[in-house]
């Protein structure tokens, strides 16, 4: 059989076919879905644990030929074959654990599913893979972990299965991803169902659940945007709002959201100012940070490690002196020093005498910073 590469795939960035060529599968008839449990493309140990494909947003990376065995499943000696039994494996960047890192796939919108649906459509038209789901339940994580909940196939069931399943269904494995993934909606989209859009507010939104990424587009109105702003203010990010919050997602909402995301220690696409399920979940929780002004500990100084440095970094971000790359940590490094220097540049009365650049926050500067971040 001709070795296939998905026509729109990025088959160069993380191609491992030369290092781990795998076995040729004569007639692939199974698709196994995984979640990476992370926000970005994994390294896969240089290819030793890679699937055939990884999907993140609208990007599909291909790591092996579609009809060559991948390496993302446990395949114990003496048992049933997993990686090599005609199974095409797809990792989805994100999580099956509510509140985990990245896209929460069990709540994926049609837009989130679009790139995967296109890939599955190509796979099922190229190979003899039935467009059907396993009859085993797609359990939510953590119930899907292990084998005690009845979702995992026996050796015989796996050997005879053709169609789409999850990592949680494969024998010899104990992982529970991708949780209660919307497999039936995926199948509907592959068959040509018209994708739903979020261009208008959903009349079924309950007021607290994550409304989907489509609710947060610049200039677009959705009742969840008002709730977003209210929760950001509750968490101490009200300084970003001169007016509002209101139902239209604007630059103030985006900036406040990005500051909140950076305060969680997130970077890159996880701190882009657009709320995802993880951001929403943390915003809906009660604020964890102190609302009272506290004194600066003597050990908080450039180059030192101290537990209060975490608080300092979060306050700097919240008050608008970020970003602080590498936060949140207990290390008062060069990035924290640069943010403190920005604080002093805007508040020179707290700067050390005769200094043009002051990386030390100082006792009085720390009090002023806390007030700017909303503490009283």
């Amino acid at each position: 059989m001709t070795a296939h590469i998905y026509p729109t795939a990025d088959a160069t960035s993380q191609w491992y076919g030369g290092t781990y060529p795998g076995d040729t599968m004569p007639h692939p008839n199974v698709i196994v879905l995984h979640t990476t449990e992370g926000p970005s493309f994994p390294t896969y140990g240089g290819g030793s644990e890679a699937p055939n494909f990884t999907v993140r947003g609208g990007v599909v990376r291909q790591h092996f030929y579609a009809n060559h065995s991948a390496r993302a499943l446990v395949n114990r000696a003496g048992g049933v074959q997993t990686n090599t039994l005609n199974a095409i494996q797809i990792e989805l960047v994100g999580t099956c654990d509510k509140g985990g890192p990245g896209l929460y796939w069990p709540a994926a919108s049609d837009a989130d599913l679009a790139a995967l649906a296109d890939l599955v459509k190509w796979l099922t038209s190229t190979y003899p893979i039935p467009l059907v789901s396993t009859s085993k339940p797609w359990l939510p994580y953590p119930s899907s972990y292990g084998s005690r909940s009845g979702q995992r196939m026996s050796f015989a069931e796996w050997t005879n299965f053709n169609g789409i399943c999850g990592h949680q269904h494969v024998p010899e494995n104990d992982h529970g991803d991708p949780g209660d993934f919307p497999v039936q909606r995926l199948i509907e989209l592959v068959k040509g169902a018209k994708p739903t859009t979020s261009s208008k507010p959903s009349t079924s939104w309950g007021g607290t659940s994550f409304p989907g990424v489509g609710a947060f587009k610049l200039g677009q109105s959705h009742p969840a945007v008002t709730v977003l702003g209210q929760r950001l203010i509750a968490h101490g990010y009200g300084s970003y709002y001169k007016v509002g919050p209101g139902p239209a997602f604007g630059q103030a909402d985006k900036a406040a959201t990005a500051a909140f995301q950076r305060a969680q220690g997130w970077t890159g696409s996880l701190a882009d100012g657009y709320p995802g399920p993880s951001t929403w979940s943390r915003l809906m929780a009660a604020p964890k940070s102190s609302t009272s002004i506290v004194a600066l500990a003597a050990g908080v100084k450039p180059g030192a490690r101290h537990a209060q440095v975490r608080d300092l970094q979060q306050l700097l971000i919240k008050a608008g002196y970020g970003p602080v790359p590498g936060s949140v940590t207990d290390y008062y490094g060069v990035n924290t020093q640069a943010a403190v220097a920005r604080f002093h540049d805007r508040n020179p009365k707290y700067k050390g005498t005769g200094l043009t650049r002051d990386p030390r926050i100082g006792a009085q500067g720390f009090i002023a910073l806390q007030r700017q971040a909303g503490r009283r």
Side-chain angles (χ1 to χ4, degrees), residues 1-4 24-28 65-68 86 126-128:
M1 180 180 290
T2 303
H4 278 278
T24 300
M25 299 184 293
H27 47 84
Y65 291 120
N67 63 333
H68 283 196
N86 297 312
T126 303
Y127 299 99

Side-chain angles (χ1 to χ4, degrees), residues 175-191:
H175 286 200
D177 54 305
D180 49 339
F181 177 83
V183 65
Q184 293 303 330
R185 183 56 183 166
L186 171 64
I187 290 172
E188 290 172 359
L189 292 171
V190 174
K191 289 182 176 179

Side-chain angles (χ1 to χ4, degrees), residues 215-216 220-230 233 241 243-250 252-253:
F216 305 107
Q220 175 177 297
S221 292
H222 191 287
V225 178
T226 302
V227 176
L228 171 73
Q230 292 169 344
I233 290 172
Y241 291 93
V243 178
F249 187 68
D253 301 292

